[in-house]
Amino acid sequence: AAGVIQSPRHLIKEKRETATLKCYPIPRHDTVYWYQQGPGQDPQFLISFYEKMQSDKGSIPDRFSAQQFSDYHSELNMSSLELGDSALYFCASSLGLGVGEAFFGQGTRLTVV
Amino acid sequence: DQQVKQNSPSLSVQEGRISILNCDYTNSMFDYFLWYKKYPAEGPTFLISISSIKDKNEDGRFTVFLNKSAKHLSLHIVPSQPGDSAVYFCAASVEGTYKYIFGTGTRLKVLA
């Protein structure tokens, strides 16, 4: 069965550079969630989208922005990268309304040097 | 402010025995709870969920119990197998919102 696809799997950027992470949800899923997991930490909710509209916002820095496109894929744009942004970034998708299983992608490991 | 807490960072259990992972939450608005299993460098994998209208949900070797009055849930794995060794995250959500709040995780090690 198709799963959540994230790209790239690994990304190395320098401080102050920009990064774009992409997430392709499971077909027919209309909700996308972004999480950040730092070393030794639990996944922290960043932001979510339902039907291409931002629905909930968590601890997402102002330097980050995200959107969900008409084909339901989502992109997380990160600017002015800092060393502390190095983390695993997970995307998850579900079929609406915040109830039911959210299925996670493999994650993008971002390393800022 | 940690709304979902897993107070045991690690747990070791002998193969064949029962593993019990615990999770506490503070937000009484949470009405849907999930358990995820995570291997290193992989995304969390959904295991089992429970709605607040139930107090138990069973799926094969995995059973989740919910005690709403105590704001506590637990995951039982019976019998435990070495392949169950992973980090287990408890997550909670409020119906109609679009975010899952994760606990800090419990690393389970099943000894052969």
Side-chain angles (χ1 to χ4, degrees), chain B residues 5-8 20-24 35 72-76 90 106:
Chain B
K5 299 177 186 178
Q6 293 175 251
N7 292 318
S8 299
I20 301 177
L21 294 91
N22 294 302
C23 177
D24 297 291
W35 282 95
H72 176 83
L73 64 155
S74 60
L75 173 69
H76 292 213
C90 160
T106 296

Side-chain angles (χ1 to χ4, degrees), chain B residues 74-88:
Chain B
S74 60
L75 173 69
H76 292 213
I77 307 174
V78 186
S80 301
Q81 300 173 353
D84 296 329
S85 298
V87 177
Y88 289 77

Side-chain angles (χ1 to χ4, degrees), chain A residues 89-103:
Chain A
Y89 290 83
F90 289 107
C91 167
S93 74
S94 71
L95 193 56
L97 296 178
V99 176
E101 302 84 8
F103 294 88

Side-chain angles (χ1 to χ4, degrees), chain A residues 9 31 33 35 37 41-43 45 48 50 55-57 88 90 94 96-106, chain B residues 2 4 31-32 34 36 38 41-46 49 89 93-105:
Chain A
R9 289 294 309 277
T31 307
Y33 315 78
Y35 287 83
Q37 185 176 23
Q41 299 179 4
D42 51 302
F45 172 74
S48 60
Y50 170 64
S55 49
D56 273 294
K57 199 169 181 179
L88 264 175
F90 289 107
S94 71
L97 296 178
V99 176
E101 302 84 8
F103 294 88
F104 283 79
Q106 296 282 65
Chain B
Q2 191 73 31
V4 179
D31 54 10
Y32 196 76
L34 310 95
Y36 283 87
K38 186 178 181 304
E42 292 186 12
T45 303
F46 169 76
S49 63
F89 287 97
S93 74
V94 178
E95 183 175 356
T97 67
Y98 301 92
K99 60 182 175 183
Y100 296 80
I101 306 298
F102 281 80
T104 46

